Amino acid sequence: MSTPPSRTQDLAEAAAATAAAPAPAPDWAAIRADFPLLSRQVHGKPLSYLDSANTSQKPRAVIEAMDAHYRQHNANISRAVHTLGMEATEAYESARTRLAAFVNVRPDDLVLTSGTTQAVNLVAYSHALPRLGPGDTILLSRMEHHANIVPWQLVAGRNGARIAVADITPEGELDLDALWRAMTPDVRILGLTHVSNVLGTVNPVAQVCREARRRGIVTVIDGSQALPHRPVDIAGIGCDFYAFTGHKMLGPTGTGALWARREHLDSMPPFLGGGEMIREVRFEGSTFAAPPHKFEAGTPNIAGVVGLGAAVDYLRAIGMDRIEAREQELLAYATNALSALPGLRIVGTAREKAAVISFLVEGAHAHDLATLLDLEGVAVRSGQHCAHPLMEALGAPATCRASLAFYNDFDDIDRLVAALGKARALLG
Ligand code: PLP
């Protein structure tokens, strides 16, 4: 006869069973209902918002966090010793800390900016402008957004550095052999997007950064389209700089950040001068605060940063791995449905893709299509997606782009397909 299990054994088994039980699947319909704007109508039709790569919609938690900030805590940060000033400072710095944990970096190495554009400009002007000169090369991939092209051109125009381009395959993947060949000894900086906003391609950033580092090349990764859609461990990528924008990851517009290796932050001069970023100011000269505050001149977007902190909490509560899995399901469904439409061609068929689908329809201009889709309540972006050099290489004057987020559902995709059918009939 076996001995009966003891109470301790029972508890241990119960604890093990709880630990092993899979977490309940998210209720995606309830999650969608967290986004008030998604329940509005457009042209008398329900809204299917398929433009999240442009900017994401905001959950109630973000809207309410900003509302509560202005109603209860509004004051300037880092200046006043009164209660509101301290509350606002605490809220701002707490958001930085949560954002840093979200991407696995130290808060002191995370500069809060107005978005990716400001972050890349900061690197270009503070790091590259004084260091590079004639004979040096800035290497950029063909699939960069203008935010990771134009700042480099402005700086190269001033210090005499050269811009070179790393090409992509016809499927829209980075051509890695070409990239390794392009990493010649004169290359000092490599600018690369983590995820393409046009093609959806997910680039192997950790592998590329490893190769670049072996060659002494400083890497600047544009994470604008990665952070909203997949777990991102910036420390694990091994880059020198990582830029991202808050409004694509449920946060307010005018928020974002630049992470940089500490040695870069310490050695870079300030980008903008003013209040908040100084230690001591005399007319003979000023000394500066330690990073990250050295790069945060003037009154920042305090309420926006509070909202971004709430966005991070919201994303974490769902789980980035689940968000990624959900979006991959939506992507597969949409890719199948769109591929079946006669005359429609998907641009960007990389093996690893985020939920971005650019497409062309024979005989229809992208803007005409997008306008007709809008009349059906379906919002897609059309045009060149701030990536003129990529579009030129693709030989496409413009595409339509349906970009998905976890708050979309299969019905949104069915409505896109139906609206495309109607539009094509109208356009003949
Ligand atoms: N990089 C990529 C890949 C983007 O998609 C975008 C926005 O569309 C940006 C940079 C610029 O972001 P922001 O305008 O928020 O600075």
Side-chain angles (χ1 to χ4, degrees):
M1 210 176 102
S2 58
T3 41
S6 69
R7 165 117 181 100
T8 321
Q9 261 176 311
D10 279 352
L11 287 176
E13 273 165 28
T18 313
D27 178 347
W28 295 112
I31 287 171
R32 182 184 175 95
D34 287 340
F35 292 77
L37 188 142
L38 295 179
S39 62
R40 70 159 279 184
Q41 299 211 326
V42 169
H43 300 299
K45 308 270 169 58
L47 170 66
S48 283
Y49 185 76
L50 302 176
D51 196 18
S52 294
N54 208 350
T55 195
S56 68
Q57 293 306 338
K58 320 302 173 199
R60 204 169 281 108
V62 168
I63 299 166
E64 286 174 358
M66 294 173 70
D67 183 75
H69 173 79
Y70 277 128
R71 284 178 192 277
Q72 292 168 37
H73 310 289
N74 180 46
N76 213 328
I77 58 167
S78 314
R79 294 179 185 184
V81 295
H82 57 67
T83 301
L84 294 185
M86 287 192 286
E87 284 176 4
T89 305
E90 151 61 19
Y92 183 83
E93 291 302 333
S94 156
R96 187 200 308 275
T97 302
R98 278 139 57 220
L99 188 57
F102 183 63
V103 291
N104 190 30
V105 298
R106 282 170 8 109
D108 284 354
D109 301 339
L110 198 64
V111 180
L112 298 174
T113 66
S114 64
T116 298
T117 303
Q118 193 195 342
V120 176
N121 275 277
L122 199 171
V123 185
Y125 281 93
S126 283
H127 179 85
L129 181 61
R131 281 178 178 76
L132 272 54
D136 292 327
T137 297
I138 299 163
L139 180 60
L140 304 173
S141 93
R142 172 84 57 194
M143 66 176 92
E144 296 313 303
H145 185 279
H146 295 164
N148 207 17
I149 299 175
V150 182
W152 302 114
Q153 289 175 328
L154 294 175
V155 158
R158 286 172 62 174
N159 64 14
R162 183 180 79 94
I163 307 273
V165 182
D167 247 311
I168 59 172
T169 66
E171 293 74 35
E173 294 184 347
L174 259 189
D175 181 338
L176 288 178
D177 290 331
L179 179 62
W180 309 147
R181 280 197 303 277
M183 288 184 179
T184 45
D186 53 305
V187 174
R188 301 282 304 281
I189 289 180
L190 169 67
L192 177 63
T193 192
H194 193 161
V195 174
S196 161
N197 63 311
V198 179
L199 306 164
T201 308
V202 179
N203 286 316
V205 284
Q207 181 190 6
V208 171
C209 289
R210 221 170 21 249
E211 289 296 325
R213 205 161 176 73
R214 282 202 309 120
R215 294 161 167 88
I217 298 170
V218 166
T219 43
V220 184
I221 305 298
D222 173 356
S224 309
Q225 298 289 349
L227 245 66
H229 306 295
R230 47 183 32 234
V232 173
D233 171 359
I234 294 179
I237 291 170
C239 53
D240 287 278
F241 295 96
Y242 194 99
F244 58 93
T245 208
H247 67 95
K248 296 183 200 286
M249 50 183 284
L250 315 187
T253 50
T255 61
L258 173 74
W259 173 83
R261 284 183 189 272
R262 192 68 194 184
E263 66 259 30
H264 295 317
L265 290 178
D266 284 337
S267 64
M268 283 158 54
F271 176 37
L272 300 172
E276 314 275 3
M277 50 76 75
I278 47 83
R279 181 162 290 143
E280 205 172 56
V281 177
R282 297 225 164 82
F283 277 108
E284 296 74 39
S286 303
T287 54
F288 306 116
H293 300 103
K294 176 168 95 174
F295 301 105
E296 294 177 7
T299 301
N301 183 357
I302 303 165
V305 169
V306 168
L308 181 55
V312 165
D313 297 341
Y314 185 88
L315 290 169
R316 281 194 99 151
I318 301 175
M320 289 311 296
D321 43 357
R322 286 159 150 188
I323 285 175
E324 185 183 16
R326 164 74 172 176
E327 292 182 0
Q328 287 298 314
E329 269 185 76
L330 293 169
L331 173 66
Y333 183 81
T335 304
N336 276 338
L338 292 175
S339 306
L341 294 181
L344 185 146
R345 180 165 73 84
I346 293 178
V347 179
T349 52
R351 284 160 293 183
E352 204 182 340
K353 269 189 75 166
V356 171
I357 309 179
S358 283
F359 57 89
L360 297 162
V361 173
E362 230 171 64
H365 193 280
H367 288 321
D368 295 339
L369 266 182
T371 306
L372 291 173
L373 295 183
D374 183 58
L375 291 175
E376 298 299 315
V378 176
V380 298
R381 183 166 174 193
S382 56
Q384 300 190 308
H385 316 293
C386 298
H388 289 179
L390 171 62
M391 300 299 287
E392 200 182 332
L394 295 171
T399 67
C400 276
R401 180 187 69 184
S403 55
L404 304 159
F406 59 90
Y407 47 67
N408 288 121
D409 58 21
F410 295 98
D411 191 45
D412 285 328
I413 297 163
D414 293 341
R415 294 189 65 234
L416 166 67
V417 171
L420 274 171
K422 249 184 162 173
R424 288 182 61 238
L426 277 171
L427 291 169

